[in-house]
Amino acid sequence: MPELEQSRLLRTELPGPRSAELMRRKQAFVSPGVGTTMPVFAARAAGGIVEDVDGNRFIDLGSGIAVTTVGSSAPRVVEAVRQQVEDFTHTCFMITPYESYVAVAEALARLTPGDGEKRSALFNSGSEAVENAVKIARSYTGRDAVVVFDHAYHGRTNLTMAMTAKVAPYKHGFGPFAGEVYRAPMSYPMRDGLDGPAAARRAISIIETQVGAGNLAAVVIEPIQGEGGFIVPADGFLPALAAWCAANGVLFVADEVQSGFGRTGTMFAIEAEGVIADLVVSAKGIAGGLPLSAVTGRAEIMDAVHPGGLGGTYGGNPLACAAALAVIETIEADGLLERARQIETLVLKRLNELKDADPRIGDVRGRGAMLAAEFVDPATGEPDAALAKAVATAAHQRGVITLTCGTWGNVIRFLPPLSISDELLSEGLDLVAAGLKEH
Ligand code: PLZ
């Protein structure tokens, strides 16, 4: 197979004939509950390009929702998985363990913030790992309650649906939801105007009066919220919350599913504020597209769970573990944390120029290669979801994969793979800007 050419190309109308035919088959056989953002079907992906089945090549500003951080089909990942698939595909770690699972846990102990002995448990999806973090926190503290935040996204399983804030499409009609989940106000600088310590006091006051520290097992928070709108809390919010948790015997759980693994220019987003979480949840970028997730924490916390209390048939599957080890090697050997910071500089500059010229962009924010623009009605500051959708769709039609997010759907997020070139990144942003101009 020749290398995938790193340039945008529109050979057919979108969708092309092959994609259109596959979409007809999808409609006939795939549950409509599973939606798709783009009307085209993927054939190959690498670097900063996704090629569809009609030979169109798209600039990838989404990384399959922050998963292919090292690139899709990154060479070390491909080679590691190829070798592993020849050796064995599965034995079940709970039956006949294998080294790569242990090696991933060793790497997580080294890479997550905080010193001392740490242990990990591996799972398949982000939701599954979040659920397990709650199980571990309950086991360790002997308490039931869990606090999450406005705009939070933690998954689609029963417990994590309860933890996710937004009803449509994630929760509508799917209740009843798990109990003992409480919601506190998030720091949202653009909209609440509070500094970090003040936003933390507001949240803590609600937690103390409506939940009670003595009932609370864990505070679970995304250090930069993902689906909820790439909301970066004000400086000092996370440290103040973490300090309150420490003082009250409550575990501070960082859901780094979207923000972790190099995405924000540090291995984990909490590092930017010097916060050490009791439990860190990893997924998405950890294994370059293979399904893998992890909960990592201090030994005394992880050891509270009774033997056999955690697991699952596929958790820490050998192919996924081989991929994760190759991802870590790639981030470290290729200087990808630095690359994420370069991407931040390039993209923020462009987005801020756009914002200065167009008051419909109410805010530009994010870190590393996790960046966003929030669209508003300039007169009222009200969210403008229609504009975000129109700009994203215009980008799709020009051959750029962009994703929206946000409680009100009015945010366009930029999550390029760190393997993208500056040229493709700039071209992608030019095309987004051109789409904005037309609307
Ligand atoms: N925690 C912070 O971002 C997944 C979900 C897309 P899973 N985000 C993308 C969708 O519409 O389903 C996510 C996340 C954070 C947990 C999760 C859940 O991870 O691997 O999708 O289960």
Side-chain angles (χ1 to χ4, degrees):
M1 188 68 86
E3 257 185 36
L4 183 55
E5 162 124 16
Q6 293 296 301
S7 65
R8 184 179 64 105
L9 175 70
L10 294 180
R11 296 180 62 221
T12 69
E13 280 178 19
L14 298 181
R18 289 190 172 147
S19 281
E21 174 54 22
L22 285 168
M23 197 54 85
R24 280 190 286 277
R25 279 170 61 196
K26 173 188 180 271
Q27 275 154 5
F29 294 106
V30 177
S31 162
V34 185
T36 44
T37 301
M38 303 279 294
V40 297
F41 278 71
R44 294 198 293 165
I49 290 288
V50 175
E51 185 179 58
D52 79 4
V53 288
D54 293 290
N56 299 302
R57 292 198 298 267
F58 295 82
I59 298 175
D60 183 7
L61 302 185
S63 301
I65 325 188
V67 170
T68 52
T69 306
V70 299
S72 196
S73 65
R76 288 187 189 83
V77 175
V78 171
E79 192 42 41
V81 173
R82 194 196 312 277
Q83 269 180 30
Q84 180 59 49
V85 82
E86 284 175 6
D87 291 344
F88 62 96
T89 53
H90 175 86
T91 60
C92 188
F93 189 75
M94 301 184 305
I95 307 299
T96 327
Y98 37 87
E99 181 179 350
S100 56
Y101 186 120
V102 178
V104 170
E106 276 170 351
L108 284 165
R110 173 170 66 83
L111 296 170
T112 50
D115 303 325
E117 221 176 308
K118 287 182 231 158
R119 305 202 215 291
S120 291
L122 305 186
F123 306 97
N124 303 289
S125 68
S127 316
E128 194 188 359
V130 171
E131 290 230 17
N132 277 278
V134 171
K135 283 161 66 173
I136 294 163
R138 286 176 171 161
S139 191
Y140 175 71
T141 60
R143 306 169 179 175
D144 295 334
V146 177
V147 160
V148 290
F149 289 83
D150 288 333
H151 314 289
Y153 184 91
H154 297 292
R156 294 178 184 258
T157 58
N158 188 262
L159 174 58
T160 58
M161 266 195 298
M163 297 170 71
T164 290
K166 190 172 170 176
V167 65
Y170 307 121
K171 302 162 72 158
H172 175 73
F174 296 152
F177 304 111
E180 288 306 310
V181 175
Y182 301 89
R183 199 167 303 283
M186 178 65 181
S187 165
Y188 195 158
M190 170 199 172
R191 294 193 174 274
D192 64 23
L194 295 177
D195 66 21
R201 278 196 300 277
R202 178 179 64 171
I204 289 165
S205 162
I206 285 179
I207 297 169
E208 286 180 337
T209 56
Q210 299 185 17
V211 189
N215 301 315
L216 185 55
V219 166
V220 182
I221 189 163
E222 301 154 83
I224 296 179
Q225 287 184 320
E227 305 305 305
F230 278 34
I231 302 165
V232 186
D235 284 352
F237 178 74
L238 296 173
L241 270 182
W244 180 86
C245 285
N248 289 279
V250 174
L251 295 193
F252 181 91
V253 180
D255 178 347
E256 294 256 14
V257 168
Q258 190 152 168
S259 58
F261 263 83
R263 179 51 60 186
T264 65
T266 48
M267 206 57 170
F268 292 94
I270 44 171
E271 289 171 53
E273 287 214 69
V275 171
I276 294 173
D278 295 303
L279 295 175
V280 173
V281 182
S282 307
K284 288 190 185 280
I286 190 175
L290 278 90
L292 185 71
S293 60
V295 180
T296 305
R298 286 198 307 284
E300 54 153 334
I301 299 171
M302 299 300 286
D303 291 354
V305 178
H306 53 281
L310 304 174
T313 305
Y314 294 111
N317 168 272
L319 301 176
C321 286
L325 296 172
V327 163
I328 293 163
E329 192 190 332
T330 301
I331 292 174
E332 291 180 334
D334 294 356
L336 292 187
L337 300 181
E338 174 58 26
R339 178 65 189 143
R341 293 193 286 266
Q342 289 168 358
I343 288 175
E344 172 182 326
T345 306
L346 190 153
V347 176
L348 276 189
K349 180 168 177 292
R350 289 300 313 278
L351 293 181
N352 277 313
E353 283 164 9
L354 285 180
K355 176 174 180 276
D356 291 342
D358 192 332
R360 295 174 302 168
I361 300 183
D363 195 23
V364 163
R365 56 181 179 252
R367 266 207 310 272
M370 182 171 186
L371 302 159
E374 174 161 355
F375 293 88
V376 295
D377 176 336
T380 62
E382 287 298 305
D384 190 346
L387 179 60
K389 188 164 191 281
V391 174
T393 305
H396 299 164
Q397 284 158 354
R398 289 173 160 85
V400 185
I401 300 175
T402 53
L403 310 176
T404 58
C405 64
T407 292
W408 302 283
N410 65 322
V411 178
I412 295 191
R413 52 177 151 175
F414 300 92
L415 288 165
L418 303 180
S419 52
I420 197 171
S421 68
D422 280 357
E423 292 69 33
L424 280 180
L425 194 53
S426 299
E427 187 184 347
L429 293 168
D430 286 343
L431 292 161
V432 171
L436 177 62
K437 241 186 178 162
E438 275 179 12
H439 286 89

